[in-house]
Amino acid sequence: MSDRDNAFAEYFAARSSAMRATAFLLCGDWHRAEDLTQNAFTKLYLRWNRVQRHESLDPYLRKVLISSFIDEGRWGWWKRERPHDARIERVADPEPSEDRVTLMRALAQVPPRQRAVLVLRYWQDLSVEETAAALGCTAGTVKSQAARGLETLRTLVAHPVTAD
């Protein structure tokens, strides 16, 4: 393996779980989260030699992940990948608490841009400015999207919509 590949492999090993968790919060599905994470790391790998400062890797990767998530909602059904019958065996995640399930269901119903802001601000604990940079928008947009997203989330948690 080249030095480039070793450096990328080390970064992937260190950050893939955290990015997958962020992707899960965005999309609410572990399989989609895996796809979003893989897509983001693939794009990073293709640009690995052009990345000048390694301290900018996390923000870049986060931006790619969020852009992929938001863009995925714009794709037509014909562009989405179809799963195969073969399953990937992995250890089951521990059963989430009832409060976490309620919150995750509500978060899944928040519009994608608002959800991205909520995940970055309150899960990733990014500042308003860092969130704005990750989303490619202004700080004012982050603040308004966060306020709207929190209000939507509060409403959904207080009055959950049940599937029939």
Side-chain angles (χ1 to χ4, degrees):
M1 266 171 113
S2 69
D3 289 342
R4 171 186 187 257
D5 290 343
N6 285 332
F8 180 81
E10 287 177 21
Y11 181 73
F12 177 81
R15 300 301 299 149
S16 62
S17 293
M19 288 299 162
R20 183 173 169 256
T22 300
F24 175 76
L25 288 172
L26 291 169
C27 69
D29 177 91
W30 284 112
H31 298 289
R32 282 182 57 206
E34 192 76 38
D35 290 344
L36 287 168
T37 304
Q38 182 179 3
N39 182 42
F41 273 101
T42 299
K43 288 181 179 181
L44 174 62
Y45 181 77
L46 294 173
R47 290 161 184 81
W48 189 257
N49 285 338
R50 291 184 228 150
V51 177
Q52 298 298 317
R53 299 182 328 251
H54 285 281
E55 66 272 4
S56 65
L57 289 174
D58 280 355
Y60 173 79
L61 189 60
R62 194 178 301 114
K63 187 172 188 169
V64 170
L65 183 73
I66 292 165
S67 295
S68 295
F69 164 70
I70 291 171
D71 289 346
E72 185 181 75
R74 296 179 186 145
W75 294 349
W77 63 269
W78 60 90
K79 287 191 177 182
R80 291 203 177 122
E81 294 179 20
R82 307 268 189 248
H84 294 285
D85 290 335
R87 293 180 173 244
I88 299 172
E89 297 298 324
R90 67 173 41 186
V91 177
D93 293 323
E95 288 296 316
S97 70
E98 189 174 323
D99 289 342
R100 183 176 174 98
V101 170
T102 301
L103 182 61
M104 294 305 296
R105 284 185 182 148
L107 187 61
Q109 296 176 44
V110 174
R113 293 274 302 177
Q114 292 175 14
R115 189 179 332 156
V117 169
L118 293 177
V119 168
L120 292 175
R121 288 283 292 130
Y122 304 110
W123 175 263
Q124 294 282 317
D125 200 27
L126 296 183
S127 69
V128 171
E129 293 76 20
E130 290 169 326
T131 302
L135 294 172
C137 63
T138 66
T141 300
V142 169
K143 292 176 186 177
S144 66
Q145 290 289 304
R148 288 184 189 118
L150 286 172
E151 183 59 34
T152 302
L153 197 56
R154 284 184 191 110
T155 301
L156 290 167
V157 168
H159 309 288
V161 177
T162 57
D164 292 332

